[in-house]
Amino acid sequence: MSQSSSTKSRIQPPPSTATRRLSSFFGSHQRLSLTVLLAAPLAWLILIYIIALLLLLVTAFWSTDSFTGQVVQDWTLGNFKEVFGEALYRAVTVRTLIIAVSVTVIDVLIALPVGYFMSKVAGPRLRGALVVAFLMPLWAAYLVKAYAWRTIVSPHGLLDSIGVSPGLGLIATIITMSYIWLPYVVMPVYAGFERIPDSLIEVAGDLGAKGWRTFTAVIIPLVWPSVIAGSIFSFSLTLGDYIAVQIVGGSQQLLGTLIYANVGTGGNMPLAAATAFIPIAVILIYLTAVRRTGALKNL
């Protein structure tokens, strides 16, 4: 007993270093700890993304010298008059919205039954295999997937050999983008179904609701925020895409291709910035409309 007591008496508490005191302080002030932790990424987001975006939009009010091609910092609304006044930009805007909505609807219609099957019907092994299957396309490069679809839908391609090829154009663009952005819709919808308790579905059945009635009246309202969250990805990514349409779209143009052309071949940064106002405004309107659904929390 005396030896045990002497051993305990020799045990000293750890030294109170500055690091230990700082750790103890943040441990007792969790909100402050979270603020400090997020300060660096938030500062990076504000400086690199938000401020850069604001500077780009400011450029829309400048002009380009027709002889030198240099940006002239004279404030003007001429770029906006051209963007909103010319029939080309109106037609391209409508076409871009049609493609973005079509891609979103197709991906949602695929994601709903797939997400339900993965979460409520498939066993653990099959569920894991399906998750891997839908995430696997993300491992391939964007250009690889786009050019793969070009070989499928182009004349003398795989679909053309069986007589059902849509050819290069609007339909091919919708198909390609639907495939590329599908994982971004399936995974949020699958996560939404996972959060629905199985007991809730059983209660609906016990109360007399048939399968379809349970799905439409009970499950869909609960998973709807996740559906909207997935639609934000597909809609916004399609709205700003300019690569796939150049590969499989034939002569079709979208807002992204107009912006790219004004920056690249045209060398007109102010006009490109004014064109960028359109997709930015559409996305802001869409996010404002879906904010009350709780979809942003599912992102």
Side-chain angles (χ1 to χ4, degrees):
M1 294 294 293
S2 59
Q3 185 178 0
S4 176
S5 300
S6 61
T7 302
K8 291 181 179 180
S9 63
R10 290 196 299 267
I11 298 176
Q12 299 294 330
S16 179
T17 61
T19 303
R20 189 175 296 277
R21 289 195 300 268
L22 188 63
S23 176
S24 177
F25 174 78
F26 282 118
S28 58
H29 298 79
Q30 295 184 359
R31 291 188 177 181
L32 180 61
S33 176
L34 182 62
T35 302
V36 174
L37 182 65
L38 295 178
L42 286 177
W44 179 265
L45 175 64
I46 293 173
L47 291 175
I48 303 301
Y49 182 74
I50 297 179
I51 294 181
L53 182 60
L54 291 177
L55 292 176
L56 172 67
L57 297 181
V58 168
T59 309
F61 295 94
W62 296 343
S63 60
T64 303
D65 190 287
S66 58
F67 293 99
T68 64
Q70 299 296 319
V71 176
V72 180
Q73 298 182 8
D74 292 334
W75 298 94
T76 177
L77 294 176
N79 296 315
F80 292 98
K81 292 180 181 179
E82 181 174 352
V83 168
F84 294 104
E86 289 193 6
L88 170 64
Y89 287 92
R90 292 197 297 270
V92 171
T93 299
V94 172
R95 184 184 303 121
T96 304
L97 289 174
I98 290 175
I99 293 177
V101 172
S102 300
V103 169
T104 301
V105 170
I106 291 172
D107 284 348
V108 167
L109 291 178
I110 295 175
L112 281 173
V114 168
Y116 181 79
F117 179 83
M118 290 168 59
S119 62
K120 302 302 180 185
V121 179
R125 291 187 178 181
L126 180 57
R127 182 184 303 118
L130 289 173
V131 170
V132 172
F134 279 99
L135 290 179
M136 191 175 294
L138 298 179
W139 302 347
Y142 179 97
L143 289 177
V144 172
K145 292 180 284 190
Y147 275 108
W149 273 103
R150 180 183 176 90
T151 62
I152 294 174
V153 301
S154 62
H156 310 294
L158 178 62
L159 292 181
D160 189 54
S161 63
I162 59 176
V164 294
S165 175
L168 301 179
L170 186 65
I171 301 300
T173 303
I174 293 175
I175 294 173
T176 302
M177 289 188 177
S178 298
Y179 169 79
I180 292 176
W181 307 133
L182 181 60
Y184 296 93
V185 183
V186 168
M187 299 316 297
V189 173
Y190 162 66
F193 280 119
E194 277 282 286
R195 288 193 291 267
I196 299 176
D198 293 336
S199 58
L200 189 63
I201 301 176
E202 295 174 359
V203 169
D206 293 339
L207 293 176
K210 301 297 183 181
W212 178 250
R213 178 64 175 171
T214 300
F215 188 78
T216 57
V218 178
I219 297 177
I220 289 298
L222 293 175
V223 81
W224 190 245
S226 299
V227 173
I228 298 297
S231 73
I232 292 174
F233 286 114
S234 61
F235 184 78
S236 60
L237 291 172
T238 303
L239 203 63
D241 191 277
Y242 68 97
I243 299 176
V245 67
Q246 298 184 68
I247 297 174
V248 299
S251 61
Q252 300 290 331
Q253 285 186 313
L254 302 182
L255 287 172
T257 57
L258 288 182
I259 296 172
Y260 175 76
N262 286 327
V263 174
T265 58
N268 194 336
M269 178 63 75
L271 183 58
T275 308
F277 258 99
I278 301 175
I280 291 174
V282 172
I283 289 298
L284 290 177
I285 293 172
Y286 187 67
L287 291 177
T288 302
V290 303
R291 183 170 59 89
R292 293 185 178 181
T293 65
L296 299 182
K297 296 180 181 179
N298 288 271
L299 294 177

